[in-house]
Amino acid sequence: MTELCKDRGGPPAVPTDPPAEPRRRRERLPFRLAVPPVSGVLRPRQVAVSAGLAAAAFAVFCWGMTIGDLPIAVGDVVRALFGHGDPGNQLIVRELRLPRALAGLLVGGAFGVAGALFQTLTRNPLASPDMIGITQGAGAAVVAGLVLGIGGGLGTQLLGLLGGFGAAALVYLLAWRRGATGYRIILVGLGVAWICTSVTDFLMARGARQEAQSALGWLLGNLNGRDWPQIIPLLWALAVLLPAALLLGRQLRDLQLGDDVARGLGIRVQWVRVATLLTGVGLAAFGAAAAGPVAFVALAAPQIAQRLARTAWPPLIASGLAGALMVLVSDLIARTLIHDTELPVGVVTGVLGAPVLLWLLVRANRAGSGG
C-alpha cells in the first residue's frame, strides 16, 4: 500500500506497528552475570506484574491487621511489625493478629504455585489440586480421623498430608500406561476426586453432630484460630518446595513443546513429571493441612497471573502472589461482610472463584477444546 501511494503521488503511509524484532527485545531482556555466574532472560512485564501483586498483597496484609476489637491505624501496624511504636500495639499485632494474616499469605501462595505447576504440567487451565482429587483426598483423610478415629492421634495436619499424597499416588498409578500424560492425569483425577468426595459425604452422614460440625469447619477452609503450630510446618515446606518449583519451571516450559522435542533437548520427561507432581502435591497438601482446602485459589490464581503477565503459561512467582492476594482479600471480606460473624474464607473464595471457572469453561468451549 505504501508503494501504491508513492506511485500515485499521495502522502506516504505511516507505519502503525513497530517492527517485530524490537518488540521481542522489549519483552525479553537477556542478561549474564560474572559473579555469581548466572545467565537468563528477564521479562520486564512479568517482573512489573509480580512487583504490583506483591505491593497489593502487603497492603492488604497490613490492612487486615487493623481490624479487630481494638482498631489500629495502618501506620501503627507497620511500625509494630518492625518492632517500633506503642508496646501495646506491638503485642496485639505481633502476637494476636500476625499469625492469621501470615497463614493467609502463605496458604494462598502455596495454592497459587501448586495450581501453576499442575496447569503447566497438564497444559490445561482446569487442572488444579482441587479439581484432580488432591485436596479431596486430604479432606477424606481428615474426616475419617475425626469421625472414625482412624489415625486421630496424628492430628488434622498430618492426616491432611497423608490423604493428599495418597490421592496423588493413586491418580498417578491409575494414569500410568508406559508413562503418564497430562490428559490421563486429569481424567483419572476427576474420578478420584468424586470418589473421595463421596467417602467424605458418607462419613459426615454417619458421624455424630459435633464431629460433623468440626469436620465441616475444616473442609470449608478457615483461617480462624490459626497460630504458629500451623504456620511453622508450612514455612519449612515452602522453604524447600518453592526453590524446587522454580528449578523445575525451565524444564516444564520445554515440556510445552511436546514429549519428543523435550527428549531431544535432553529433558527426562517422566522424571520431570514425577518431580513436578510431588512438588505440587506437597504445596497443596501443606496448604490444606494449615487452613483446610480453600476452594478455587489454585484454579483461579495462575489464570489471573497469566493474563496479567501475558505469558503462554502461568508464571510461578506471580501465581503465588496472586493466590496470596486472593486469600487475604477473601479473608478481609469474610470478616467484615456480616456484623459479628466471621465466615470461613473458603466460602468467599468459592463465590469469587465460581465465575472464573465458568469463564474458563466457556473460553475452552469457544476455542474448541472443551469437548
Side-chain angles (χ1 to χ4, degrees), residues 100-307:
R100 177 174 186 146
L102 201 55
L105 185 77
L106 298 178
V107 168
F111 279 127
V113 175
L117 287 176
F118 279 103
Q119 291 177 10
T120 308
L121 176 68
T122 60
R123 286 178 277 182
N124 192 316
L126 296 176
S128 69
D130 48 1
M131 297 293 286
I132 60 173
I134 308 303
T135 52
Q136 287 86 349
V142 170
V143 174
L146 292 174
V147 174
L148 301 179
I150 300 175
L154 299 177
T156 56
Q157 284 191 289
L158 191 51
L159 283 172
L161 286 174
L162 293 175
F165 278 105
L170 183 62
V171 169
Y172 196 78
L173 289 175
L174 292 177
W176 179 270
R177 192 179 64 188
R178 288 177 294 179
T181 64
Y183 181 71
R184 287 203 297 271
I185 288 175
I186 293 175
L187 285 181
V188 174
L190 287 172
V192 172
W194 279 107
I195 291 173
C196 293
T197 301
S198 301
V199 170
T200 302
D201 292 342
F202 173 76
L203 293 173
M204 295 276 287
R206 292 291 302 272
R209 183 175 178 180
Q210 184 177 359
E211 295 166 342
Q213 286 182 341
S214 177
L216 184 61
W218 187 87
L219 286 173
L220 288 174
N222 203 334
L223 295 177
N224 190 24
R226 294 301 178 267
D227 212 332
W228 298 110
Q230 290 85 35
I231 296 172
I232 297 299
L234 182 57
L235 270 174
W236 280 109
L238 289 175
V240 175
L241 295 174
L242 280 182
L246 294 175
L247 289 175
L248 288 167
R250 174 68 180 274
Q251 301 184 51
L252 276 176
R253 289 196 292 274
D254 291 338
L255 276 182
Q256 305 300 301
L257 303 174
D259 290 0
D260 293 337
V261 176
R263 288 191 187 94
L265 294 172
I267 303 297
R268 299 170 64 184
V269 174
Q270 292 304 325
W271 186 92
V272 172
R273 283 206 175 101
V274 172
T276 304
L277 194 63
L278 288 175
T279 306
V281 170
L283 288 166
F286 274 97
V294 184
F296 284 117
V297 177
L299 175 73
Q303 292 301 307
I304 293 171
Q306 183 178 353
R307 263 89 192 146

